[in-house]
């Protein structure tokens, strides 16, 4: 064991497993492009206020999970715990034309109690769309996530949906909820007996039985929507229906950040039995731009955890990589000259994935490496081949050594290899 290990709740990802990550990111990039989103890159840390104002001071992320630090210039920054606030900050700073539609792939940092599917550094694929409150945009954003999950092969995903209303309808609901919690405060879990009054909505998020019982019996958010928010919500649900995307109304779904307004949603992977079965979540945040000091601008987006998507794929038995990272050719070189380097260069320029042996190791040792690399073909460059200006090609997936092996001239070599590889 080495002296140092990756920090608690974080993971190193090495090849070949990392090919699964590459596949996910490449697929998401393709889908984001299809839906009109461009890649956005923002710093991994921001002034603490970017998060503080957006999430709400009393949110769980803000009070318990932030990685906050002071730099050498005495500025207080925080590592990003999610992608939305930074994108909205960047949007306000650069004022791109509307609608502004951005996608991202980012690590996110939360000081959580690590467990399966819950980490201190996780990674999100997400989108944010600013500048329109058209329900058609809600439908598109949700459809993008849904079609992406389909492309990953996932079939056991449920879409939970709710509307938080705008500030006024939500305010009315929170007042009534507060009254209800006050009446039943003695029945709440220990934590929420102490904190229910500061942020009553968080009690709806609580997974403990006493809080669930109290809130199940209490007022329901959808009953408090004003006519406009109600019509918006219906339009979103009808739009989803029209695309064949079924959604389940989840009146308790308020999500963990205070910035949400109107549509909120979560994707649950039923193959993941654990509590960590949310593979994605998002919603509207029509007030966030103003909270960060900008003009009122509607916004909606979602984030999806890569680690959980991979766990969900595994749980559904989906093991095939989404991207081909197999080695085509392994060059076994016992001459130690320039021939192998030149051959590798020629084949790589022709588009093949080439691995090779180094250090003039024995033929046997290199053949072992060739097998382990998963390459389809081995190309042997020995003294005889070198003298004849040829190479020996061996099909590593053929049991028949005679038939699986042949001498080839250098002329037209690439075409022969491509044919063998069905490329
Ligand atoms: P979130 O629900 O906190 O939302 O996170 C989005 C997704 O990231 C979750 O559904 C889950 O898959 C994954 N995730 C979150 N925390 C962890 C963790 N500790 N370990 C592993 N995976 C995790 C947001 O972050 C919002 N910014 C989403 C959004 C975008 N809303 C509007 N736009």
């Amino acid at each position: 064991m080495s002296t140092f290990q990756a920090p608690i709740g974080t993971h190193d990802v090495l090849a070949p497993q990392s090919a699964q990550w590459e596949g996910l990111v490449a697929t998401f990039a393709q889908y984001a492009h299809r839906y009109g989103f461009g890649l956005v890159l923002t710093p991994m840390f921001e002034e603490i206020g970017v998060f503080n104002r957006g999430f709400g001071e009393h949110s769980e992320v803000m009070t318990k999970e932030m990685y906050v630090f002071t730099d050498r210039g005495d500025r207080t920054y925080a590592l990003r715990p999610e992608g939305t606030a930074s994108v909205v900050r960047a949007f306000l700073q650069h004022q791109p034309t509307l609608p502004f539609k951005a996608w991202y792939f980012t690590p996110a940092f939360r000081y959580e109690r690590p467990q399966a599917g819950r980490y201190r550094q996780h990674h999100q694929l997400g989108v944010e769309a600013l500048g329109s409150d058209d329900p058609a945009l809600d439908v598109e954003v949700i459809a993008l996530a849904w079609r992406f999950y389909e492309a990953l092969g996932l079939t056991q995903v449920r879409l939970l949906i709710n509307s938080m209303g705008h500030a006024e309808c939500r305010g009315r609901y929170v007042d009534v909820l507060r009254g209800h919690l006050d009446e039943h405060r003695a029945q709440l879990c220990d934590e929420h007996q102490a904190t229910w009054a500061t942020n009553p909505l968080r009690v709806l998020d609580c997974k403990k039985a006493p809080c669930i019982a109290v809130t199940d019996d209490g007022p329901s958010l959808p009953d408090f929507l004003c006519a406009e928010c109600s019509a918006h919500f219906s339009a979103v649900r009808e739009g989803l229906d029209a695309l064949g995307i079924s959604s389940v109304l989840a009146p308790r779904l308020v999500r963990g950040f205070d910035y949400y307004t109107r549509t909120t949603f979560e994707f649950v992977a039923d193959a993941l039995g654990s509590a960590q079965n949310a593979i994605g979540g998002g919603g509207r945040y029509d007030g966030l731009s103003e909270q960060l000091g900008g003009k009122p601008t509607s916004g909606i987006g979602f984030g999806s955890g890569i680690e959980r998507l991979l766990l969900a794929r595994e749980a559904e038995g989906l093991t095939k990589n989404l991207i081909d990272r197999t080695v085509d050719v392994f060059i076994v070189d016992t001459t130690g000259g320039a021939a192998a380097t030149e051959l590798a260069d020629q084949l790589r320029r022709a588009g093949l994935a080439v691995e090779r042996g180094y250090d003039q190791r024995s033929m046997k040792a290199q053949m072992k490496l060739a097998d382990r690399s998963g390459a389809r073909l081995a190309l042997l460059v020995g003294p005889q081949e070198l003298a004849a200006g040829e190479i020996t090609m061996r099909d590593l997936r053929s049991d028949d050594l005679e038939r699986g092996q042949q001498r080839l001239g250098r002329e037209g070599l690439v075409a022969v290899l491509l044919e063998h590889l069905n490329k």
Side-chain angles (χ1 to χ4, degrees), residues 8 21 24 45 50 77 80 121 123 129 154 160 167 173 201 243 315 318 343 348 356 358 362 366 382 406 409 418 423:
I8 295 167
W21 286 64
L24 238 63
F45 57 95
V50 171
Y77 289 119
R80 74 154 64 120
Q121 175 174 341
H123 298 77
L154 294 171
L160 309 181
Y173 169 70
L201 287 177
L243 300 187
L318 300 161
L343 179 61
R348 285 169 177 151
R356 55 164 290 187
Y358 301 101
S362 72
Q366 289 191 52
Q406 51 183 290
L418 288 174
K423 289 211 170 197

Side-chain angles (χ1 to χ4, degrees), residues 9 55 61 65 81-85 88 104 108-129 141 149 255-257 259-260 263 265-267 276-285 288 299-309 311:
F55 303 165
V61 173
E65 298 176 357
E82 56 100 62
T84 311
V88 175
Y104 50 85
F109 307 87
R110 299 183 191 179
Y111 192 82
E112 310 223 43
R113 197 163 55 81
Q115 50 199 290
R118 186 169 289 280
Y119 313 107
R120 292 194 174 160
Q121 175 174 341
H122 71 278
H123 298 77
Q124 286 191 21
L125 293 165
V127 302
E128 310 297 344
V141 164
Y149 300 148
R255 311 225 345 109
F257 303 106
Y259 55 58
Y260 287 114
T263 316
F265 53 92
E266 216 155 78
F267 298 95
Q276 269 51 258
N277 61 1
I279 53 171
R284 277 208 162 271
Y285 42 85
L288 182 54
I300 180 166
F302 73 85
S304 210
I306 295 189
E307 290 85 351
R308 289 193 197 172
L309 287 171
L311 288 171

Side-chain angles (χ1 to χ4, degrees), residues 342-354 414:
E342 282 162 23
L343 179 61
D345 184 57
Q346 181 196 3
L347 301 184
R348 285 169 177 151
R349 288 171 65 193
L352 297 183
V354 180
V414 170

Side-chain angles (χ1 to χ4, degrees), residues 31-199:
Y31 273 74
H33 174 61
R34 283 189 199 175
Y35 283 77
F37 290 79
L39 177 66
V40 63
L41 303 166
T42 59
M44 212 73 78
F45 57 95
E46 297 275 353
E47 282 180 49
I48 183 95
V50 171
F51 304 118
N52 210 346
R53 291 213 214 161
F55 303 165
E57 273 175 75
H58 303 296
S59 65
E60 188 154 31
V61 173
M62 219 50 227
T63 51
K64 298 190 198 152
E65 298 176 357
M66 297 293 282
Y67 278 90
V68 181
F69 64 98
T70 307
D71 78 355
R72 288 167 195 274
D74 229 15
R75 299 174 196 91
T76 306
Y77 289 119
L79 295 183
R80 74 154 64 120
E82 56 100 62
T84 311
S86 313
V87 172
V88 175
R89 195 271 309 139
F91 162 77
L92 293 173
Q93 182 173 337
H94 302 284
Q95 307 195 356
T97 49
L98 296 177
F100 173 63
K101 293 169 75 180
W103 75 271
Y104 50 85
F105 162 42
T106 183
F109 307 87
R110 299 183 191 179
Y111 192 82
E112 310 223 43
R113 197 163 55 81
Q115 50 199 290
R118 186 169 289 280
Y119 313 107
R120 292 194 174 160
Q121 175 174 341
H122 71 278
H123 298 77
Q124 286 191 21
L125 293 165
V127 302
E128 310 297 344
L130 285 119
S132 168
D133 65 359
D134 189 334
L137 183 57
D138 303 46
V139 173
E140 277 199 1
V141 164
I142 294 170
L144 160 53
W146 189 262
R147 302 297 178 214
F148 168 58
Y149 300 148
E150 281 179 349
L152 303 187
L154 294 171
T155 54
Q156 299 168 44
V157 180
R158 266 179 313 133
L159 164 61
L160 309 181
I161 196 162
N162 194 18
S163 173
M164 315 262 313
H166 69 324
E168 265 160 52
C169 16
R170 189 167 77 171
R172 269 189 287 127
Y173 169 70
V174 171
D175 286 345
V176 176
L177 178 64
R178 188 176 273 120
H180 178 78
L181 296 179
D182 196 3
E183 254 175 63
H184 299 89
R185 62 211 289 185
Q187 287 137 261
L188 297 174
C189 77
D190 290 348
E191 181 189 346
H192 288 117
Q193 285 196 20
T195 60
W196 65 271
T198 27
N199 197 342

